[in-house]
Amino acid sequence: MSVNILFSAAQIRWVQYEATLRGLLDKSGIDYVLATELPPQEVDYIVYAPNSDVQDFTPFRRLKAVLNLWAGVEDVVGNPTLKVPLARMVDKEGLTQGMVEWVTGHVLRHHLGMDAHILGQDGEWRAGVPPLSAERPVCILGLGTLGMACARALRHLGFPVRGWSRTLKTMAGVDCSAGEDGLTKALDDAQIVVLLLPDTPATQNILNATTLARLAPGAFVINPGRGPLIDDAALLAALDSGQVAHATLDVFRTEPLPASDPFWGHPRVTVTPHIASETRVSSASAVIVENILRGEKGKPFVHLVDRAAGY
Amino acid sequence: MSVNILFSAAQIRWVQYEATLRGLLDKSGIDYVLATELPPQEVDYIVYAPNSDVQDFTPFRRLKAVLNLWAGVEDVVGNPTLKVPLARMVDKEGLTQGMVEWVTGHVLRHHLGMDAHILGQDGEWRAGVPPLSAERPVCILGLGTLGMACARALRHLGFPVRGWSRTLKTMAGVDCSAGEDGLTKALDDAQIVVLLLPDTPATQNILNATTLARLAPGAFVINPGRGPLIDDAALLAALDSGQVAHATLDVFRTEPLPASDPFWGHPRVTVTPHIASETRVSSASAVIVENILRGEKGKPFVHLVDRAAGY
């Protein structure tokens, strides 16, 4: 009996993924069917994007696992019809590497004051150097795979890095803390804060008027994590007062960010269109196929979502 | 008899350096005089900036060494009146770390296409991600202390790095080459080229019409090294043709760069005011004092300039 794999995501993804997935599945030697439509009761695995048509998992009676194409699972994790294991995408090459590049780039951009040069090519020679990275404390909220990789890269460039997470992590060279008291400690006088937390009820609006006030005056906010982590009104107020010198935001409560949103027009905000970290087809396909093979061999799946924690 | 140290640089440098140098000299226990004016025949060491009043070293009859405050020595190395050892500044913390931060920042800026976002906050959500760093070959011309440190940092971020130097170097993870054939190999299809060579007759105009044509179409040029490394007219032509997508230039044949220079107004050029690497007072003072102590103990000086090679 073949292993039946339903690919349930936007059509463009099927175009991107089909050949690579088939190539890897062919090589694996398993007998499989991969399709975008299959009778639900015959499906073993769903390769899934949370915005797909499948929202009711009840008819999938022999389903073994849902294999998410993305890192974010907030739109599926609470689905009460989903009773089987849910794996999120942890795509080291694509998601993690892309995130490290984006975060490191924007941290250095703000650290070096690049915008003044990029926007100020007016013929005036303005000398003056920024401090070295060693004098620029960076706080990373969230020490999952992405947060840890970014912390490591920034540490390597000489930035003093503090990291905060729900449960205490330890990491060489990074000042780790957890819990509410730990959050205050992590934010206090940080000059750059990078948000890499999952979107859960406990993390929503974690950057708000109170926590923003903890940062060093003129701090930089970088959000490649999730839109709801920030209280938007509080951030706009902090930008207007100068408490935050600039915010670079890649994720928003509504995406695409409407053209009328005040973030677009704010001179101290840079909007980027959710590009900090994108799954790459080749490495993501390998993760998907690895989990299918694990399922077939009775091995534990990798990158399983903790349904209670929500990520 | 005291050790007499002449500080011969712009007045602003004396203001910046005096207290730090005195603090370190006091701690060293040597009997010294540090001043901006001393009878030439009594001077043991000159702490020197090449733009200082002292251009004729003949009267300094007991001079033991000239200790340059900067990394660049091209304006003093050929001085025929200079007969004593000349040490350049190798200030790991200030020069090297600052250079690593500036180069890494601007490489990531171009790699990520940041300018399109910084300059294009128009409310339009334009998806699309850059390739990962692994697909972006970077060529570093010059593998001295600065070039090697930058190569290491970019390697750590995943960029394939080729390095070229006059004499062949070896460096883990970096594709090193030397000589004229090596230059072609290093430049071929590179998407980003970083210039960190010294300014010598052999390196002038090393980036010219011929070598620019070797780069991948739409390459990025980053020059934090020396102005004369680039044939300016050839670079402007390559920018106009699109062979070079953008040049970020920190050094120029004339500094400050005149407001009338075409680089200022060119939409594909970012001028920065020679800030990529600046000597920092505390670490540079330690290097100066270390060499004075070495001289007094009869030990070899560090960071001596090879007068024949010119750097």
Side-chain angles (χ1 to χ4, degrees):
Chain A
M1 201 170 68
S2 68
V3 177
N4 295 327
I5 306 161
L6 177 69
F7 189 95
S8 185
Q11 174 63 17
I12 176 71
R13 303 302 172 191
W14 179 240
V15 173
Q16 294 171 331
Y17 277 86
E18 185 188 1
T20 308
L21 282 173
R22 284 197 196 285
L24 290 170
L25 288 164
D26 287 349
K27 233 168 70 181
S28 77
I30 62 168
D31 179 20
Y32 73 95
V33 172
L34 173 68
T36 55
E37 294 201 15
L38 285 171
Q41 67 279 8
E42 293 177 13
V43 170
D44 296 293
Y45 300 93
I46 305 180
V47 178
Y48 190 72
N51 61 352
S52 93
D53 292 339
V54 175
Q55 294 298 328
D56 179 7
F57 293 95
T58 315
F60 296 85
R61 288 196 300 269
R62 81 179 211 200
L63 192 63
K64 296 173 186 167
V66 171
L67 309 173
N68 212 49
L69 272 174
W70 321 130
V73 291
E74 61 269 18
D75 293 334
V76 59
V77 72
N79 188 319
T81 69
L82 177 61
K83 311 285 191 194
V84 299
L86 169 67
R88 57 197 287 272
M89 179 53 60
V90 178
D91 166 13
K92 190 169 168 17
E93 189 184 341
L95 294 178
T96 311
Q97 179 62 25
M99 183 62 86
V100 166
E101 294 172 15
W102 190 91
V103 166
T104 307
H106 284 281
V107 164
L108 283 170
R109 168 190 158 216
H110 291 307
H111 167 61
L112 295 169
M114 279 186 197
D115 291 20
H117 300 293
I118 295 168
L119 298 165
Q121 293 288 301
D122 58 0
E124 196 174 324
W125 187 265
R126 297 174 185 86
V129 286
L132 292 178
S133 59
E135 298 162 60
R136 181 86 72 186
V138 177
C139 171
I140 297 182
L141 299 185
L143 287 177
T145 304
L146 299 177
M148 281 191 144
C150 292
R152 208 171 292 120
L154 294 172
R155 197 66 211 100
H156 194 260
L157 283 165
F159 291 96
V161 178
R162 304 99 169 262
W164 182 85
S165 48
R166 195 175 57 92
T167 54
L168 190 62
K169 305 278 174 79
T170 54
M171 213 187 144
V174 174
D175 189 2
C176 295
S177 54
E180 208 165 320
D181 291 355
L183 182 60
T184 307
K185 186 186 153 214
L187 293 172
D188 264 354
D189 293 319
Q191 294 185 22
I192 298 179
V193 59
V194 180
L195 286 88
L196 282 167
L197 288 161
D199 175 19
T200 70
T203 62
Q204 284 181 17
N205 295 323
I206 195 166
L207 214 58
N208 53 45
T210 308
T211 51
L212 284 166
R214 286 288 179 180
L215 301 173
F220 301 100
V221 170
I222 300 179
N223 187 13
R226 293 288 165 206
L229 300 175
I230 296 181
D231 175 339
D232 292 350
L235 176 59
L236 286 165
L239 286 160
D240 289 335
S241 77
Q243 167 63 10
V244 173
H246 201 101
T248 292
L249 310 174
D250 189 54
V251 289
F252 305 90
R253 283 187 161 72
T254 305
E255 292 181 11
L257 187 68
S260 60
D261 193 283
F263 282 143
W264 274 118
H266 201 290
R268 291 176 167 175
V269 174
T270 305
V271 171
T272 65
H274 204 141
I275 55 170
S277 172
E278 277 231 347
T279 305
R280 314 280 162 154
V281 172
S282 60
S283 43
S285 297
V287 172
I288 296 284
V289 172
E290 186 194 346
N291 257 340
I292 291 172
L293 294 179
R294 283 176 164 267
E296 291 310 293
K297 289 177 185 158
K299 288 192 194 173
F301 294 107
V302 292
H303 313 315
L304 279 187
V305 173
D306 175 344
R307 309 289 291 277
Y311 62 91
Chain B
M1 201 168 67
S2 68
V3 177
N4 295 328
I5 307 161
L6 177 69
F7 189 94
S8 186
Q11 173 64 18
I12 177 72
R13 303 302 171 191
W14 178 241
V15 173
Q16 293 171 332
Y17 277 86
E18 185 188 1
T20 307
L21 282 173
R22 284 197 194 285
L24 291 170
L25 288 164
D26 288 348
K27 233 168 71 180
S28 77
I30 62 168
D31 180 20
Y32 73 95
V33 171
L34 173 68
T36 55
E37 295 200 15
L38 285 170
Q41 68 279 8
E42 293 176 12
V43 169
D44 296 292
Y45 299 94
I46 305 181
V47 179
Y48 190 72
N51 62 353
S52 92
D53 293 339
V54 175
Q55 295 298 330
D56 179 7
F57 292 95
T58 315
F60 295 85
R61 289 196 299 270
R62 82 179 211 201
L63 191 63
K64 297 174 186 166
V66 171
L67 309 173
N68 212 48
L69 271 175
W70 322 129
V73 292
E74 60 270 19
D75 293 334
V76 60
V77 73
N79 188 320
T81 68
L82 178 61
K83 312 286 190 192
V84 299
L86 169 66
R88 58 197 287 273
M89 179 52 60
V90 177
D91 167 13
K92 190 168 170 15
E93 187 185 342
L95 293 178
T96 311
Q97 178 61 27
M99 183 62 87
V100 166
E101 295 172 14
W102 191 91
V103 167
T104 307
H106 284 281
V107 164
L108 284 170
R109 167 189 158 216
H110 291 307
H111 167 61
L112 295 169
M114 279 186 198
D115 291 19
H117 300 294
I118 295 168
L119 298 164
Q121 293 289 299
D122 58 1
E124 197 175 323
W125 188 265
R126 297 175 185 87
V129 285
L132 291 179
S133 59
E135 298 163 58
R136 181 86 73 184
V138 177
C139 172
I140 297 182
L141 299 184
L143 287 178
T145 305
L146 299 178
M148 282 192 142
C150 292
R152 208 170 294 122
L154 294 172
R155 196 69 211 97
H156 195 259
L157 283 166
F159 291 96
V161 179
R162 305 99 168 262
W164 182 85
S165 48
R166 196 175 56 93
T167 54
L168 190 62
K169 305 279 175 80
T170 54
M171 211 186 143
V174 174
D175 190 1
C176 295
S177 54
E180 208 164 319
D181 291 355
L183 182 61
T184 306
K185 188 186 152 215
L187 292 172
D188 263 355
D189 293 320
Q191 293 185 23
I192 299 179
V193 59
V194 180
L195 287 88
L196 282 168
L197 288 161
D199 174 19
T200 71
T203 62
Q204 284 180 18
N205 294 324
I206 194 165
L207 213 58
N208 52 45
T210 308
T211 51
L212 283 166
R214 287 287 179 180
L215 302 173
F220 301 100
V221 170
I222 300 180
N223 187 12
R226 294 287 164 207
L229 299 176
I230 297 181
D231 175 339
D232 292 350
L235 177 58
L236 285 166
L239 286 160
D240 289 335
S241 77
Q243 167 64 9
V244 173
H246 201 102
T248 292
L249 310 173
D250 188 54
V251 289
F252 306 90
R253 282 185 161 74
T254 306
E255 293 182 10
L257 186 69
S260 60
D261 193 282
F263 282 144
W264 274 118
H266 201 291
R268 290 175 166 175
V269 174
T270 306
V271 171
T272 64
H274 203 141
I275 54 170
S277 173
E278 278 231 346
T279 305
R280 314 279 163 155
V281 172
S282 60
S283 42
S285 297
V287 173
I288 296 285
V289 172
E290 185 193 347
N291 257 340
I292 292 172
L293 294 179
R294 283 175 162 268
E296 291 310 293
K297 288 176 187 162
K299 288 192 194 172
F301 294 107
V302 292
H303 312 315
L304 279 187
V305 172
D306 176 346
R307 309 289 290 278
Y311 62 91

